[in-house]
Structure formats: structure tokens, C-alpha cells
Amino acid sequence: MSGSQSPKDFFRPLAVGAPTPLTDIPARPSRAIHFFDPSNPKMAAKIPDMVGTVDVLLGNLEDAVKADNKVAAREGLVEIAQRTDFGPTQLWTRINSLDSPWALDDLTTLVPAIGDKLDVIMVPKVQGAEDIHYVDRLLAQLEAKAGLDRPILVHAILETARGVANVEEICGASPRMQGLSLGPADLAADRRMKTTRVGGGHPGYLVRQDPPRNDLGVTDYDAPRATYQQDLWHYTIARMVDACAMHGIYPYYGPFGDITDVVACEDQFRNAFLLGCVGTWSLHPKQIAIANRVFSPSVEDVAHARRVAAAMGDGTGAVMLDGKMEDDASLKQCLVMVELAEQLAAIDPELKKAYDAIEVESA
Ligand SMILES: CC(C)(COP(=O)(O)OP(=O)(O)OC[C@H]1O[C@@H](n2cnc3c(N)ncnc32)[C@H](O)[C@@H]1OP(=O)(O)O)[C@@H](O)C(=O)NCCC(=O)NCCSC(=O)C[C@](C)(O)C(=O)O
Ligand SMILES: [Mg+2]
């Protein structure tokens, strides 16, 4: 909400005839947001067959699309969206940044042509609430003109130091705000971090075990010592998670650029999942399975969560289960897991089978 806006106006449409803003952002499964370049004929050809295999398909118009292909990407996305039935799969786009020569045409082309199919518009390089307010009003005008009956949601990428500093006001800038993703490559450049990768760790960012003392009690600085690599993105992701939770919207990890290193990709995704993110990006088809696996609670976790819920009865008090204390607060954590499992089971038959089997075993 902007400083001068009254609370009663926050949920009013920003243009006459625009759809009424949502008061709650639906928790639609979005474990993988799969990026494709609509101007790349090989990638575009694969999209219809990917419907139903991934939670979100995102037509990317920004970075990774060549400047000469910007118009082709925009028009390619319109064409794909018009001729594809997306069924349960969400369709998102990432428009060009607001200071680029393409962002205005992206919005004025996409909303009238495919606004009824677009679930979420991802806005890159968001600096503060003013960027969201600009998109918010423009979308309301375009939605009204196009006669749309549901609002298109907005997702911001955090990829500047100013964006991170303003993360709470960005999340609360509009009822359209659906979530945030980390943009580690641009953010690293903007912060002058000394990395050259697209997300993931760095072997130089570590802590080292203390030096041991020898038999004479003298510190041996030459002895071998274990080192532990740390997560460069912990601080930013933790800030995103809190800002999103505070505003009832959803945090996502972002890109993992080392497509070949599927193991480290899975680790990075899992850190984000454990910290509270609901999903991540997939840049290559092989990252979809990794994201789906990581962002779906394991059968063991769901089984445990259901046992705690059953043991806790009315949800108050404390009980012992397998030698551990469970109480109101541990139950709440378990319910997060149980609810997520229910949402995912509703769209993923394989998971439904796996989660349903728990019921049979514990019956
Ligand atoms: C990495 C690349 C170049 C490797 O592309 P490739 O063709 O060399 O890979 P491949 O393994 O040879 O591909 C095998 C097959 O899969 C296809 N394919 C490959 N990728 C996809 C895809 N995404 N969707 C659908 N199909 C895909 C590809 O066309 C090929 O088809 P074929 O078998 O018919 O020959 C390619 O995967 C790609 O361009 N991916 C998307 C990259 C992208 O969107 N980057 C932007 C997001 S990250 C970012 O912007 C940063 C951020 C947030 O802003 C910030 O941190 O600041
Ligand atoms: Mg970027």
C-alpha cells in the first residue's frame, strides 16, 4: 500500500471497469517455473507437449532473448498462448525491464491479446514500490479495455541492492503481488559481489575449522583443517521469505545456471525449500524433475506430519512421539506439510498415489 493511499482504497480497481483485485493470493502449486524463449523455434515447438508436465510455463521476453528477437519473442508468445490449451498448467511471462525500450509494448501487446490466459506477469529488476504501482495502474487500464474478468497477478524479481533494501514495500505495493524470485546474477553484479555464476555457491565462500593444538599446547596453524562451504544466498532468501510471509505472497528461489551440475542444483533448491520457498525456476527441461522432487514434501515427512496431527487431537497440549516432544507449534509446522501435500496431490497423480499409500500403511 502506498504511503498516501487509504486502506479502504487498497482493494479497489485502479481503472473503471477493471476486475476487482483479489484479497488473497491463491496457493496454486508452482514448484517449477519453466522458462522458454518464444522466439526459439525448437523450444517453442516443445511447449504444447510440456503442458501438464510442469506447474508453470513462462514465456521469457527479457534477458537471454537476443535484442534482435524481442519482437519475435513477444509475437511468438501470443501465438503459442492463443493456440494452446494450458489445462491445469499456469502461463506466466517475464516482460522486459521497465527502463528498456520494450516493456511498454510487451504489456500493451500481451494483455489485449492473451490477458485471459496469462496468470502472472514477472517484472524484472524491481527497485521499489513505484515500479509495482506503475505496472499496477497500467494493467488495470489494459484489463478494463480488454474486458478481462480476473486480475493478472504480478511477480517481482529481486535483482538490485535497492530492490532488496525495499523488499517489504515491494511485497505490499499492490494486491496483485503474487510473489518474489531471487535474481542472483543481476543482484551479484549490482552489489559488486565477486562472483561470475548464475546462482549457486562459490568454493571461496567458506568457514574453516579452528587450528588444533599439538601435545605441547601450541597452536598448529599448519595442520590440515576442514572447511565448510557456505550459502551466498542465505541472507537474501531469508529476507524474501519473511517479506512474502508478512504479505501473504510466495517466495521462489530462481535460476541455477550450471545445467550440468544436477546435484548442486538439487542442493540449492532444497535449501530454498527448507527456508520456506514454494518453488524455483527451471531453465532446461532436466531441471523440472529436480524442482518437482525437491518442492514436494517427501512421503516420510508427510507420514510423520500426519502422525503428529493425529496424536495432537484438538491441537493443544504436549505429547511424546518417538521420544520427541510435540506441541501446538510443532503441529503447525506439520500442518504446513500436510496442506502442501494435499494441494500437490490434487494436481499430481503420482504424488497422490504415494501420499494415499501412507493412509493404507498407517490404517
Ligand atoms: C541453457 C540453454 C541455452 C541450453 O540450451 P541447449 O540447446 O544448448 O541445451 P540442450 O541440452 O542441447 O537442449 C536439448 C533440447 O532441449 C531444448 N531445450 C533447451 N532448453 C529448453 C527450455 N528451456 N525449454 C524447452 N526446451 C528446451 C533444446 O532446444 C533442445 O531441443 P532439441 O532436442 O529439439 O534439439 C537453454 O536451455 C536456455 O536457453 N534456457 C533458458 C535460459 C533462460 O531463460 N535464461 C534466463 C533466465 S535466468 C536469468 O535471467 C538470470 C536472472 C534471474 O535474471 C538473474 O539472476 O539476474
Ligand atoms: Mg536478471
mmCIF file of all heavy atoms in Angstrom, residues 34-37 40 42-43 46-47 50 60 62-64 94 125 157 159 182-187 198 255 259 281-285, ligand 1:
data_model
loop_
_atom_site.group_PDB
_atom_site.id
_atom_site.type_symbol
_atom_site.label_atom_id
_atom_site.label_comp_id
_atom_site.label_asym_id
_atom_site.label_seq_id
_atom_site.Cartn_x
_atom_site.Cartn_y
_atom_site.Cartn_z
ATOM 1 N N HIS A 34 8.966 -22.934 -15.528
ATOM 2 C CA HIS A 34 9.865 -23.332 -16.621
ATOM 3 C C HIS A 34 9.980 -22.238 -17.681
ATOM 4 O O HIS A 34 8.993 -21.856 -18.318
ATOM 5 C CB HIS A 34 9.393 -24.635 -17.265
ATOM 6 C CG HIS A 34 10.320 -25.047 -18.357
ATOM 7 N ND1 HIS A 34 11.571 -25.561 -18.106
ATOM 8 C CD2 HIS A 34 10.223 -24.947 -19.714
ATOM 9 C CE1 HIS A 34 12.190 -25.788 -19.244
ATOM 10 N NE2 HIS A 34 11.403 -25.409 -20.235
ATOM 11 N N PHE A 35 11.216 -21.762 -17.875
ATOM 12 C CA PHE A 35 11.491 -20.671 -18.819
ATOM 13 C C PHE A 35 11.673 -21.201 -20.241
ATOM 14 O O PHE A 35 12.384 -22.187 -20.446
ATOM 15 C CB PHE A 35 12.789 -19.948 -18.405
ATOM 16 C CG PHE A 35 12.569 -18.841 -17.422
ATOM 17 C CD1 PHE A 35 11.952 -19.097 -16.201
ATOM 18 C CD2 PHE A 35 12.993 -17.547 -17.709
ATOM 19 C CE1 PHE A 35 11.751 -18.069 -15.286
ATOM 20 C CE2 PHE A 35 12.795 -16.517 -16.802
ATOM 21 C CZ PHE A 35 12.174 -16.766 -15.586
ATOM 22 N N PHE A 36 11.040 -20.514 -21.186
ATOM 23 C CA PHE A 36 11.345 -20.794 -22.603
ATOM 24 C C PHE A 36 11.376 -19.474 -23.363
ATOM 25 O O PHE A 36 10.752 -18.495 -22.965
ATOM 26 C CB PHE A 36 10.333 -21.775 -23.221
ATOM 27 C CG PHE A 36 8.936 -21.228 -23.349
ATOM 28 C CD1 PHE A 36 8.502 -20.631 -24.531
ATOM 29 C CD2 PHE A 36 8.044 -21.313 -22.285
ATOM 30 C CE1 PHE A 36 7.215 -20.124 -24.650
ATOM 31 C CE2 PHE A 36 6.750 -20.805 -22.398
ATOM 32 C CZ PHE A 36 6.336 -20.210 -23.578
ATOM 33 N N ASP A 37 12.144 -19.493 -24.444
ATOM 34 C CA ASP A 37 12.272 -18.320 -25.309
ATOM 35 C C ASP A 37 11.312 -18.507 -26.480
ATOM 36 O O ASP A 37 11.549 -19.359 -27.342
ATOM 37 C CB ASP A 37 13.738 -18.227 -25.777
ATOM 38 C CG ASP A 37 13.944 -17.143 -26.838
ATOM 39 O OD1 ASP A 37 12.956 -16.539 -27.292
ATOM 40 O OD2 ASP A 37 15.111 -16.925 -27.205
ATOM 41 N N ASN A 40 12.582 -18.872 -30.038
ATOM 42 C CA ASN A 40 13.435 -20.015 -30.393
ATOM 43 C C ASN A 40 12.517 -21.147 -30.899
ATOM 44 O O ASN A 40 11.783 -21.754 -30.112
ATOM 45 C CB ASN A 40 14.217 -20.452 -29.150
ATOM 46 C CG ASN A 40 15.084 -21.669 -29.383
ATOM 47 O OD1 ASN A 40 14.713 -22.589 -30.087
ATOM 48 N ND2 ASN A 40 16.263 -21.658 -28.768
ATOM 49 N N LYS A 42 12.817 -24.211 -31.782
ATOM 50 C CA LYS A 42 12.925 -25.551 -31.171
ATOM 51 C C LYS A 42 12.246 -25.588 -29.806
ATOM 52 O O LYS A 42 11.530 -26.526 -29.469
ATOM 53 C CB LYS A 42 14.396 -25.910 -30.994
ATOM 54 C CG LYS A 42 15.018 -26.613 -32.175
ATOM 55 C CD LYS A 42 16.342 -27.108 -31.685
ATOM 56 C CE LYS A 42 17.179 -27.788 -32.699
ATOM 57 N NZ LYS A 42 18.490 -28.107 -32.131
ATOM 58 N N MET A 43 12.511 -24.544 -29.005
ATOM 59 C CA MET A 43 11.884 -24.501 -27.666
ATOM 60 C C MET A 43 10.378 -24.322 -27.805
ATOM 61 O O MET A 43 9.601 -25.003 -27.119
ATOM 62 C CB MET A 43 12.432 -23.322 -26.859
ATOM 63 C CG MET A 43 13.784 -23.562 -26.258
ATOM 64 S SD MET A 43 14.087 -22.263 -25.044
ATOM 65 C CE MET A 43 15.873 -22.282 -25.049
ATOM 66 N N LYS A 46 8.292 -27.325 -28.395
ATOM 67 C CA LYS A 46 8.138 -28.296 -27.300
ATOM 68 C C LYS A 46 7.042 -27.889 -26.300
ATOM 69 O O LYS A 46 6.594 -28.723 -25.506
ATOM 70 C CB LYS A 46 9.461 -28.412 -26.533
ATOM 71 C CG LYS A 46 10.559 -29.072 -27.347
ATOM 72 C CD LYS A 46 11.743 -29.425 -26.452
ATOM 73 C CE LYS A 46 12.705 -30.363 -27.141
ATOM 74 N NZ LYS A 46 13.120 -29.976 -28.487
ATOM 75 N N ILE A 47 6.623 -26.642 -26.305
ATOM 76 C CA ILE A 47 5.743 -26.140 -25.236
ATOM 77 C C ILE A 47 4.396 -26.869 -25.155
ATOM 78 O O ILE A 47 4.001 -27.296 -24.060
ATOM 79 C CB ILE A 47 5.589 -24.601 -25.339
ATOM 80 C CG1 ILE A 47 6.961 -23.942 -25.154
ATOM 81 C CG2 ILE A 47 4.593 -24.062 -24.318
ATOM 82 C CD1 ILE A 47 7.787 -24.436 -23.965
ATOM 83 N N MET A 50 4.625 -29.894 -23.216
ATOM 84 C CA MET A 50 5.053 -29.748 -21.814
ATOM 85 C C MET A 50 3.879 -29.407 -20.896
ATOM 86 O O MET A 50 4.007 -29.486 -19.671
ATOM 87 C CB MET A 50 6.140 -28.672 -21.696
ATOM 88 C CG MET A 50 7.419 -29.078 -22.417
ATOM 89 S SD MET A 50 8.714 -27.845 -22.264
ATOM 90 C CE MET A 50 9.352 -28.263 -20.651
ATOM 91 N N ASN A 60 9.630 -16.206 -21.733
ATOM 92 C CA ASN A 60 10.585 -15.177 -21.303
ATOM 93 C C ASN A 60 10.830 -14.192 -22.443
ATOM 94 O O ASN A 60 11.151 -14.587 -23.558
ATOM 95 C CB ASN A 60 11.896 -15.879 -20.914
ATOM 96 C CG ASN A 60 12.983 -14.892 -20.551
ATOM 97 O OD1 ASN A 60 12.701 -13.826 -19.989
ATOM 98 N ND2 ASN A 60 14.226 -15.227 -20.859
ATOM 99 N N GLU A 62 12.684 -11.227 -21.558
ATOM 100 C CA GLU A 62 13.794 -10.354 -21.117
ATOM 101 C C GLU A 62 15.164 -10.985 -21.402
ATOM 102 O O GLU A 62 15.364 -11.578 -22.465
ATOM 103 C CB GLU A 62 13.612 -10.039 -19.610
ATOM 104 C CG GLU A 62 14.362 -8.785 -19.148
ATOM 105 C CD GLU A 62 15.094 -8.996 -17.822
ATOM 106 O OE1 GLU A 62 15.163 -10.110 -17.291
ATOM 107 O OE2 GLU A 62 15.638 -7.989 -17.305
ATOM 108 N N ASP A 63 16.079 -10.872 -20.456
ATOM 109 C CA ASP A 63 17.449 -11.352 -20.653
ATOM 110 C C ASP A 63 17.438 -12.821 -21.078
ATOM 111 O O ASP A 63 16.589 -13.593 -20.635
ATOM 112 C CB ASP A 63 18.263 -11.175 -19.367
ATOM 113 C CG ASP A 63 18.479 -9.704 -19.031
ATOM 114 O OD1 ASP A 63 18.052 -8.838 -19.831
ATOM 115 O OD2 ASP A 63 19.069 -9.412 -17.978
ATOM 116 N N ALA A 64 18.405 -13.169 -21.924
ATOM 117 C CA ALA A 64 18.524 -14.486 -22.576
ATOM 118 C C ALA A 64 17.773 -14.510 -23.907
ATOM 119 O O ALA A 64 17.863 -15.492 -24.642
ATOM 120 C CB ALA A 64 18.103 -15.664 -21.706
ATOM 121 N N ARG A 94 7.785 -13.259 -18.454
ATOM 122 C CA ARG A 94 8.680 -12.255 -17.869
ATOM 123 C C ARG A 94 8.840 -11.168 -18.916
ATOM 124 O O ARG A 94 9.387 -11.426 -19.989
ATOM 125 C CB ARG A 94 10.043 -12.855 -17.497
ATOM 126 C CG ARG A 94 11.003 -11.769 -16.986
ATOM 127 C CD ARG A 94 12.293 -12.328 -16.396
ATOM 128 N NE ARG A 94 13.242 -12.766 -17.392
ATOM 129 C CZ ARG A 94 14.514 -13.102 -17.120
ATOM 130 N NH1 ARG A 94 14.964 -13.052 -15.875
ATOM 131 N NH2 ARG A 94 15.321 -13.496 -18.073
ATOM 132 N N LYS A 125 14.071 -6.727 -12.227
ATOM 133 C CA LYS A 125 14.848 -5.568 -11.755
ATOM 134 C C LYS A 125 13.984 -4.531 -11.024
ATOM 135 O O LYS A 125 14.155 -3.328 -11.191
ATOM 136 C CB LYS A 125 15.592 -4.917 -12.932
ATOM 137 C CG LYS A 125 16.520 -5.919 -13.629
ATOM 138 C CD LYS A 125 17.255 -5.348 -14.814
ATOM 139 C CE LYS A 125 18.232 -6.335 -15.429
ATOM 140 N NZ LYS A 125 17.694 -7.389 -16.277
ATOM 141 N N ILE A 157 11.118 -9.715 -9.499
ATOM 142 C CA ILE A 157 12.430 -10.351 -9.298
ATOM 143 C C ILE A 157 13.295 -9.383 -8.511
ATOM 144 O O ILE A 157 13.378 -8.185 -8.844
ATOM 145 C CB ILE A 157 13.133 -10.694 -10.627
ATOM 146 C CG1 ILE A 157 12.161 -11.346 -11.602
ATOM 147 C CG2 ILE A 157 14.313 -11.623 -10.367
ATOM 148 C CD1 ILE A 157 12.814 -11.693 -12.947
ATOM 149 N N GLU A 159 16.675 -8.220 -7.899
ATOM 150 C CA GLU A 159 17.983 -8.350 -8.545
ATOM 151 C C GLU A 159 18.774 -7.056 -8.520
ATOM 152 O O GLU A 159 19.685 -6.866 -9.324
ATOM 153 C CB GLU A 159 17.866 -8.945 -9.952
ATOM 154 C CG GLU A 159 16.760 -8.444 -10.813
ATOM 155 C CD GLU A 159 16.623 -9.266 -12.111
ATOM 156 O OE1 GLU A 159 17.449 -10.149 -12.398
ATOM 157 O OE2 GLU A 159 15.675 -8.992 -12.851
ATOM 158 N N LEU A 182 14.424 -14.699 -6.560
ATOM 159 C CA LEU A 182 15.786 -14.189 -6.467
ATOM 160 C C LEU A 182 16.381 -14.106 -7.875
ATOM 161 O O LEU A 182 16.259 -15.058 -8.649
ATOM 162 C CB LEU A 182 16.615 -15.167 -5.627
ATOM 163 C CG LEU A 182 18.117 -14.897 -5.530
ATOM 164 C CD1 LEU A 182 18.380 -13.677 -4.655
ATOM 165 C CD2 LEU A 182 18.845 -16.111 -4.956
ATOM 166 N N GLY A 183 17.024 -12.985 -8.189
ATOM 167 C CA GLY A 183 17.763 -12.857 -9.460
ATOM 168 C C GLY A 183 19.249 -12.780 -9.153
ATOM 169 O O GLY A 183 19.834 -11.687 -9.136
ATOM 170 N N PRO A 184 19.889 -13.931 -8.904
ATOM 171 C CA PRO A 184 21.239 -13.890 -8.344
ATOM 172 C C PRO A 184 22.298 -13.292 -9.263
ATOM 173 O O PRO A 184 23.292 -12.745 -8.772
ATOM 174 C CB PRO A 184 21.547 -15.373 -8.049
ATOM 175 C CG PRO A 184 20.650 -16.143 -8.960
ATOM 176 C CD PRO A 184 19.410 -15.313 -9.121
ATOM 177 N N ALA A 185 22.111 -13.379 -10.573
ATOM 178 C CA ALA A 185 23.170 -12.891 -11.471
ATOM 179 C C ALA A 185 23.188 -11.364 -11.500
ATOM 180 O O ALA A 185 24.222 -10.727 -11.236
ATOM 181 C CB ALA A 185 22.970 -13.469 -12.871
ATOM 182 N N ASP A 186 22.038 -10.755 -11.770
ATOM 183 C CA ASP A 186 21.995 -9.285 -11.760
ATOM 184 C C ASP A 186 22.263 -8.736 -10.366
ATOM 185 O O ASP A 186 22.914 -7.694 -10.218
ATOM 186 C CB ASP A 186 20.628 -8.795 -12.261
ATOM 187 C CG ASP A 186 20.620 -8.601 -13.768
ATOM 188 O OD1 ASP A 186 21.417 -7.785 -14.257
ATOM 189 O OD2 ASP A 186 19.832 -9.271 -14.455
ATOM 190 N N LEU A 187 21.748 -9.427 -9.352
ATOM 191 C CA LEU A 187 21.950 -8.932 -7.986
ATOM 192 C C LEU A 187 23.432 -8.937 -7.617
ATOM 193 O O LEU A 187 23.947 -7.978 -7.023
ATOM 194 C CB LEU A 187 21.141 -9.788 -6.992
ATOM 195 C CG LEU A 187 21.232 -9.382 -5.527
ATOM 196 C CD1 LEU A 187 20.805 -7.932 -5.311
ATOM 197 C CD2 LEU A 187 20.365 -10.299 -4.663
ATOM 198 N N VAL A 198 25.578 -17.912 -12.375
ATOM 199 C CA VAL A 198 24.143 -17.631 -12.272
ATOM 200 C C VAL A 198 23.605 -18.493 -11.137
ATOM 201 O O VAL A 198 23.208 -19.640 -11.321
ATOM 202 C CB VAL A 198 23.408 -17.926 -13.599
ATOM 203 C CG1 VAL A 198 21.902 -17.663 -13.441
ATOM 204 C CG2 VAL A 198 23.972 -17.078 -14.730
ATOM 205 N N PRO A 255 17.062 -18.895 -10.741
ATOM 206 C CA PRO A 255 17.787 -19.737 -11.690
ATOM 207 C C PRO A 255 19.019 -20.400 -11.091
ATOM 208 O O PRO A 255 19.709 -19.815 -10.258
ATOM 209 C CB PRO A 255 18.210 -18.734 -12.771
ATOM 210 C CG PRO A 255 18.411 -17.464 -12.011
ATOM 211 C CD PRO A 255 17.405 -17.462 -10.892
ATOM 212 N N ILE A 259 23.658 -26.017 -15.621
ATOM 213 C CA ILE A 259 22.649 -27.007 -16.015
ATOM 214 C C ILE A 259 23.198 -28.432 -15.822
ATOM 215 O O ILE A 259 22.455 -29.354 -15.476
ATOM 216 C CB ILE A 259 22.267 -26.818 -17.514
ATOM 217 C CG1 ILE A 259 21.879 -25.350 -17.806
ATOM 218 C CG2 ILE A 259 21.177 -27.796 -17.939
ATOM 219 C CD1 ILE A 259 20.584 -24.881 -17.268
ATOM 220 N N TRP A 281 12.972 -21.853 -10.409
ATOM 221 C CA TRP A 281 12.909 -21.770 -11.862
ATOM 222 C C TRP A 281 13.546 -23.013 -12.461
ATOM 223 O O TRP A 281 14.439 -23.614 -11.855
ATOM 224 C CB TRP A 281 13.674 -20.549 -12.389
ATOM 225 C CG TRP A 281 13.182 -19.221 -11.925
ATOM 226 C CD1 TRP A 281 12.241 -18.967 -10.981
ATOM 227 C CD2 TRP A 281 13.633 -17.952 -12.411
ATOM 228 N NE1 TRP A 281 12.081 -17.612 -10.841
ATOM 229 C CE2 TRP A 281 12.930 -16.961 -11.705
ATOM 230 C CE3 TRP A 281 14.575 -17.556 -13.357
ATOM 231 C CZ2 TRP A 281 13.131 -15.600 -11.928
ATOM 232 C CZ3 TRP A 281 14.772 -16.198 -13.581
ATOM 233 C CH2 TRP A 281 14.047 -15.235 -12.873
ATOM 234 N N SER A 282 13.113 -23.331 -13.667
ATOM 235 C CA SER A 282 13.783 -24.359 -14.451
ATOM 236 C C SER A 282 14.174 -23.705 -15.777
ATOM 237 O O SER A 282 13.337 -23.093 -16.438
ATOM 238 C CB SER A 282 12.821 -25.528 -14.637
ATOM 239 O OG SER A 282 12.906 -26.033 -15.941
ATOM 240 N N LEU A 283 15.461 -23.802 -16.113
ATOM 241 C CA LEU A 283 15.954 -23.179 -17.350
ATOM 242 C C LEU A 283 16.083 -24.194 -18.468
ATOM 243 O O LEU A 283 16.200 -23.830 -19.636
ATOM 244 C CB LEU A 283 17.326 -22.529 -17.118
ATOM 245 C CG LEU A 283 17.406 -21.494 -15.997
ATOM 246 C CD1 LEU A 283 18.795 -20.874 -15.965
ATOM 247 C CD2 LEU A 283 16.345 -20.421 -16.170
ATOM 248 N N HIS A 284 16.134 -25.468 -18.086
ATOM 249 C CA HIS A 284 16.345 -26.550 -19.051
ATOM 250 C C HIS A 284 15.391 -27.671 -18.648
ATOM 251 O O HIS A 284 15.149 -27.874 -17.440
ATOM 252 C CB HIS A 284 17.809 -27.023 -18.951
ATOM 253 C CG HIS A 284 18.195 -28.012 -19.996
ATOM 254 N ND1 HIS A 284 17.892 -29.348 -19.890
ATOM 255 C CD2 HIS A 284 18.870 -27.856 -21.169
ATOM 256 C CE1 HIS A 284 18.362 -29.985 -20.958
ATOM 257 N NE2 HIS A 284 18.955 -29.108 -21.747
ATOM 258 N N PRO A 285 14.857 -28.416 -19.624
ATOM 259 C CA PRO A 285 13.864 -29.455 -19.247
ATOM 260 C C PRO A 285 14.342 -30.359 -18.126
ATOM 261 O O PRO A 285 13.524 -30.814 -17.310
ATOM 262 C CB PRO A 285 13.657 -30.227 -20.556
ATOM 263 C CG PRO A 285 13.952 -29.217 -21.643
ATOM 264 C CD PRO A 285 15.023 -28.310 -21.094
HETATM 265 C C1 LIG B 1 20.752 -23.060 -21.352
HETATM 266 C C2 LIG B 1 20.316 -23.289 -22.774
HETATM 267 C C3 LIG B 1 20.917 -22.214 -23.679
HETATM 268 C C4 LIG B 1 20.781 -24.678 -23.202
HETATM 269 O O1 LIG B 1 20.223 -24.954 -24.480
HETATM 270 P P1 LIG B 1 20.832 -26.073 -25.405
HETATM 271 O O2 LIG B 1 20.004 -26.140 -26.642
HETATM 272 O O3 LIG B 1 22.301 -25.861 -25.552
HETATM 273 O O4 LIG B 1 20.610 -27.380 -24.494
HETATM 274 P P2 LIG B 1 20.407 -28.884 -24.927
HETATM 275 O O5 LIG B 1 20.674 -29.717 -23.729
HETATM 276 O O6 LIG B 1 21.205 -29.187 -26.163
HETATM 277 O O7 LIG B 1 18.868 -28.952 -25.294
HETATM 278 C C5 LIG B 1 18.223 -30.178 -25.537
HETATM 279 C C6 LIG B 1 16.887 -29.901 -26.169
HETATM 280 O O8 LIG B 1 16.047 -29.233 -25.238
HETATM 281 C C7 LIG B 1 15.607 -27.994 -25.775
HETATM 282 N N1 LIG B 1 15.576 -27.025 -24.697
HETATM 283 C C8 LIG B 1 16.627 -26.483 -24.039
HETATM 284 N N2 LIG B 1 16.197 -25.630 -23.118
HETATM 285 C C9 LIG B 1 14.842 -25.631 -23.193
HETATM 286 C C10 LIG B 1 13.834 -24.929 -22.481
HETATM 287 N N3 LIG B 1 14.160 -24.020 -21.523
HETATM 288 N N4 LIG B 1 12.560 -25.189 -22.770
HETATM 289 C C11 LIG B 1 12.213 -26.073 -23.746
HETATM 290 N N5 LIG B 1 13.143 -26.751 -24.484
HETATM 291 C C12 LIG B 1 14.442 -26.533 -24.199
HETATM 292 C C13 LIG B 1 16.636 -27.625 -26.842
HETATM 293 O O9 LIG B 1 16.060 -26.760 -27.803
HETATM 294 C C14 LIG B 1 16.985 -28.980 -27.392
HETATM 295 O O10 LIG B 1 15.973 -29.362 -28.305
HETATM 296 P P3 LIG B 1 16.251 -30.474 -29.478
HETATM 297 O O11 LIG B 1 16.424 -31.773 -28.752
HETATM 298 O O12 LIG B 1 14.997 -30.411 -30.307
HETATM 299 O O13 LIG B 1 17.491 -30.023 -30.195
HETATM 300 C C15 LIG B 1 18.749 -23.295 -22.879
HETATM 301 O O14 LIG B 1 18.290 -24.335 -22.085
HETATM 302 C C16 LIG B 1 18.121 -21.995 -22.495
HETATM 303 O O15 LIG B 1 18.238 -21.008 -23.218
HETATM 304 N N6 LIG B 1 17.358 -21.995 -21.391
HETATM 305 C C17 LIG B 1 16.654 -20.812 -20.929
HETATM 306 C C18 LIG B 1 17.610 -19.769 -20.444
HETATM 307 C C19 LIG B 1 16.881 -18.608 -19.800
HETATM 308 O O16 LIG B 1 15.680 -18.465 -19.892
HETATM 309 N N7 LIG B 1 17.609 -17.737 -19.128
HETATM 310 C C20 LIG B 1 17.005 -16.610 -18.462
HETATM 311 C C21 LIG B 1 16.614 -16.932 -17.072
HETATM 312 S S1 LIG B 1 17.971 -16.799 -15.926
HETATM 313 C C22 LIG B 1 18.142 -15.125 -15.732
HETATM 314 O O17 LIG B 1 17.592 -14.369 -16.457
HETATM 315 C C23 LIG B 1 19.023 -14.605 -14.625
HETATM 316 C C24 LIG B 1 18.326 -13.595 -13.748
HETATM 317 C C25 LIG B 1 17.256 -14.157 -12.871
HETATM 318 O O18 LIG B 1 17.741 -12.545 -14.475
HETATM 319 C C26 LIG B 1 19.386 -13.006 -12.826
HETATM 320 O O19 LIG B 1 19.872 -13.774 -11.972
HETATM 321 O O20 LIG B 1 19.713 -11.826 -12.969
#
